[in-house]
Amino acid sequence: PGAADLKPCQEPLAAEDTAFISIQAFPALLDLPQDVEVSAVSCGSRHTAVITRGGELYTWGWGKYGQLGHEDDASSDQPRRVEHLVAEGLRAEEVVCGPWTTYVCVLE
């Protein structure tokens, strides 16, 4: 039998995948609303989530798999509040980010 010819497989980039998301190698100030105090932080491979003392969840970074919780797969360098939790009257208590996921413990 002949040797297998192995070639790397690459997926074509969709337009939303080409959005530039900066990588912060050093600490950086976040642009959160002035009255927000952070009580918990978790970092995934390419995204970050914070919970405020008021129980709101903010996320940012790479969102290709919907891990930011904004009901889309858009990426963002700016923290955005997860509006679904607010609309449902849910308070975020804990957050854990995985490589491409975000787990949130909420209270009603």
Side-chain angles (χ1 to χ4, degrees):
D5 186 18
L6 299 178
K7 294 181 182 177
C9 177
Q10 290 184 338
E11 293 182 38
L13 290 177
E16 63 270 8
D17 291 341
T18 61
F20 178 77
I21 299 298
S22 66
I23 296 172
Q24 298 292 334
F26 301 101
L29 292 175
L30 297 178
D31 188 18
L32 293 170
Q34 190 171 5
D35 59 339
V36 168
E37 293 183 36
V38 174
S39 62
V41 177
S42 184
C43 299
S45 295
R46 298 178 182 178
H47 71 291
T48 304
V50 299
I51 295 178
T52 69
R53 292 200 189 280
E56 295 177 326
L57 178 67
Y58 286 81
T59 60
W60 65 97
W62 192 51
K64 180 177 180 178
Y65 300 109
Q67 66 268 40
L68 300 181
H70 300 295
E71 299 181 11
D72 59 24
D73 61 357
S75 298
S76 173
D77 276 334
Q78 297 300 316
R80 291 172 37 203
R81 185 172 73 170
V82 177
E83 297 298 335
H84 177 77
L85 298 181
V86 176
E88 294 294 321
L90 301 173
R91 177 186 171 92
E93 291 290 313
E94 297 179 44
V95 64
V96 176
C97 294
W100 300 285
T101 57
T102 305
Y103 301 96
V104 184
C105 176
V106 298
L107 296 176
E108 292 183 342

